[in-house]
Amino acid sequence: MSEILAEYFSALARLKAGFPERVEKSVQISKDAVSLEAGRKKGTIKKSRPIFRDLIVAIDAAAAEQSYHQRHTDQRPLLREEVAKYRELWEEALSREISLVNQLWRERREWALEKQALTGKKMSVIHSFQRQDSDVPE
């Protein structure tokens, strides 16, 4: 590999790593960007020159990878908003469920007290799970 081609590949590696020396960090990887990063003029990398065939393939692959990463990193804020929305919906549903369970326990307690008042017998409430409220008659 010639020294000039090595400079181009070195420039491409710096662009891929995100540490360019001569162009902006946010530049899109392209043949012109690699030329400028290598210290050459725009348009020096041409398809018509056989020496650049492997370099052009490497540039195209790096550009495709960069665009893939940009597409997916651009979606992160949207995905975070969606996650926050569904978390809020889940918490609201959980709150409703807890409210309904509390209402059920109050109704059971009232029913047991009412039944006890009508029959004169002490009624015990059958629990489906262990409850720690001390005001529930047993």
Side-chain angles (χ1 to χ4, degrees), residues 26-79:
S26 61
V27 72
Q28 295 286 335
I29 295 177
S30 65
K31 291 183 283 188
D32 288 339
V34 173
S35 294
L36 292 173
E37 179 62 22
R40 306 285 194 269
K41 292 182 183 178
K42 277 186 175 183
T44 55
I45 301 174
K46 297 185 180 196
K47 288 184 181 180
S48 62
R49 298 178 183 161
I51 191 169
F52 292 128
R53 188 172 298 129
D54 293 337
L55 178 63
I56 291 172
V57 170
I59 291 171
D60 290 341
E65 183 179 336
Q66 183 185 41
S67 67
Y68 173 81
H69 287 296
Q70 284 177 343
R71 270 194 313 248
H72 290 290
T73 54
D74 291 344
Q75 291 179 352
R76 285 182 185 165
L78 297 175
L79 293 175

Side-chain angles (χ1 to χ4, degrees), residues 10-20 23-25 27-30 33-35 37 66:
S10 176
L12 177 61
R14 287 192 304 271
L15 286 173
K16 285 171 57 174
F19 300 109
V23 296
E24 296 179 22
K25 281 187 175 185
V27 72
Q28 295 286 335
I29 295 177
S30 65
V34 173
S35 294
E37 179 62 22
Q66 183 185 41

Side-chain angles (χ1 to χ4, degrees), residues 6 45 53 74-75 78 83 89 100 112 114-115 123 125 128:
I45 301 174
R53 188 172 298 129
D74 291 344
Q75 291 179 352
L78 297 175
V83 166
L89 289 172
L100 288 171
E114 208 174 290
K115 185 85 168 180
M123 300 292 294
V125 178
S128 57

Side-chain angles (χ1 to χ4, degrees), residues 62-108:
E65 183 179 336
Q66 183 185 41
S67 67
Y68 173 81
H69 287 296
Q70 284 177 343
R71 270 194 313 248
H72 290 290
T73 54
D74 291 344
Q75 291 179 352
R76 285 182 185 165
L78 297 175
L79 293 175
R80 284 189 180 122
E81 289 175 11
E82 192 172 352
V83 166
K85 180 183 90 171
Y86 283 114
R87 181 175 184 89
E88 184 178 334
L89 289 172
W90 173 74
E91 288 174 353
E92 289 173 1
L94 192 59
S95 177
R96 282 192 305 270
E97 292 293 322
I98 290 171
S99 176
L100 288 171
V101 167
N102 284 333
Q103 182 181 356
L104 177 64
W105 280 104
R106 282 192 306 273
E107 295 293 331
R108 281 185 173 184

